[in-house]
Amino acid sequence: MPDPQRKPHIGGNWKMNLHAGEAAALAEALADRLAGTAGDAVDVTIFPAFPYLAAVASVLCNKGSKIVVGAQDGYFEANGAFTGEVSMSMLKDVGVGCVLVGHSERRHVLGENNELINAKLHAALDAGLDVILAVGEKIEQREAGKTDFVNYGQICAGLAGVTAEQMQRVTIAYEPVWAIGTGKTASPQDAQDAHAAIRGCLSGIFHGQGVNDTTRIQYGGSMKPGNAAELLAQPDIDGGLIGGASLKADDFAGIVDAAK
Ligand code: PGA
């Protein structure tokens, strides 16, 4: 069983999906379906595409929902000549409470490195936002026995300069790259082993400050209602970051229910 001092968190990463009407309808359905659960037994964040953040925030607000609106990305500079980018304080302005940094698609499709990810993480914390830092190995790294080595590297670099106090606003998402959007899920034991190793890494970085016990570490990679309960029952798995299955209200709500 997961440690009761860590409240489970389920995130729904909508990625570059759902136009305005669909995004609003999904937010409304989730607000109804998760009333009494989101923000109470389970913290829930949904991550729409940039153009719909404000509209989704307003749907949730009108419904009195405790679902948090998250952004899939944000830039580290406060303002200025950065065409196409969006600052953390702009995200905060439109009702965002949490930012995702280091997602595998940002790292491996958009070419972000650890230094940029660390700068974004600091900018989000400085703007008063919560952060989810995603890490995870590629298949060839797992097959070469380097899973923990890769995760340690991404965590140490991603969290450079972060204090134990700031870690109260950081969640780690362990997302093996080979499991994202592929239908392949890490076995509960493999996921648990990676999570326990990440907790050990946090213990090494924040020695004696209890961060390893209090930080939520959530699993991502083809989590769905059918496999969520077994993954979420592992002692070091405190939630999930859901892509594909977050696009359907029943599937996503089913995963949230499994985290209760
Ligand atoms: P998936 O995506 O659930 O579709 O595998 C997970 C993620 O990208 O966070």
Side-chain angles (χ1 to χ4, degrees):
M1 283 299 290
D3 190 320
Q5 71 179 313
R6 300 188 296 268
K7 191 172 172 188
H9 177 262
I10 301 291
N13 176 7
W14 296 357
K15 308 192 180 185
M16 201 172 73
N17 294 297
L18 306 178
H19 286 78
E22 300 161 312
L26 181 53
E28 196 164 342
L30 290 174
D32 289 339
R33 180 72 168 68
L34 296 176
T37 303
D40 294 318
V42 183
D43 286 334
V44 178
T45 308
I46 51 178
F47 297 80
F50 280 139
Y52 311 123
L53 287 169
V56 166
S58 132
V59 167
L60 295 175
C61 180
N62 290 339
K63 286 262 174 192
S65 176
K66 292 186 199 158
I67 297 173
V68 173
V69 181
Q72 299 171 22
D73 188 27
Y75 199 55
F76 68 93
E77 295 283 5
N79 49 53
F82 304 101
T83 301
E85 295 296 340
V86 176
S87 76
M88 300 297 174
S89 55
M90 290 171 178
L91 294 173
K92 194 146 195 250
D93 271 351
V94 296
V96 165
C98 176
V99 174
L100 184 54
V101 301
H103 188 276
S104 129
E105 286 140 28
R106 301 295 317 171
R107 291 179 191 269
H108 304 302
V109 181
L110 284 309
E112 293 194 5
N113 61 24
N114 282 320
E115 201 183 0
L116 178 59
I117 290 162
N118 177 251
K120 290 183 173 188
L121 186 141
H122 278 286
L125 290 174
D126 290 348
L129 296 165
D130 290 346
V131 179
I132 296 179
L133 170 65
V135 302
E137 84 287 359
K138 294 181 174 176
I139 189 63
E140 59 273 22
Q141 293 167 325
R142 170 161 284 269
E143 284 169 351
K146 292 191 172 152
T147 297
D148 295 338
F149 181 82
V150 171
N151 289 338
Y152 288 5
Q154 292 179 354
I155 285 181
C156 289
L159 295 179
V162 174
T163 65
E165 198 189 340
Q166 286 176 313
M167 282 302 290
Q168 290 169 13
R169 292 190 285 127
V170 177
T171 294
I172 307 287
Y174 167 61
E175 301 203 287
V177 178
W178 49 271
I180 297 178
T182 58
K184 291 183 196 150
T185 312
S187 71
Q189 190 59 53
D190 283 348
Q192 163 59 25
D193 289 348
H195 282 234
I198 289 170
R199 222 171 273 296
C201 180
L202 293 176
S203 167
I205 300 174
F206 299 99
H207 193 68
Q209 298 179 87
V211 171
N212 51 314
D213 287 329
T214 52
T215 302
R216 289 191 287 212
I217 307 175
Q218 59 186 46
Y219 169 82
S222 300
M223 195 188 265
K224 36 189 181 274
N227 61 24
E230 215 187 340
L231 286 158
L232 294 167
Q234 302 303 312
D236 288 300
I237 300 185
D238 309 312
L241 186 56
I242 323 300
S246 73
L247 301 175
K248 292 201 181 114
D250 282 347
D251 286 355
F252 186 66
I255 295 171
V256 174
D257 285 343
K260 275 193 209 170

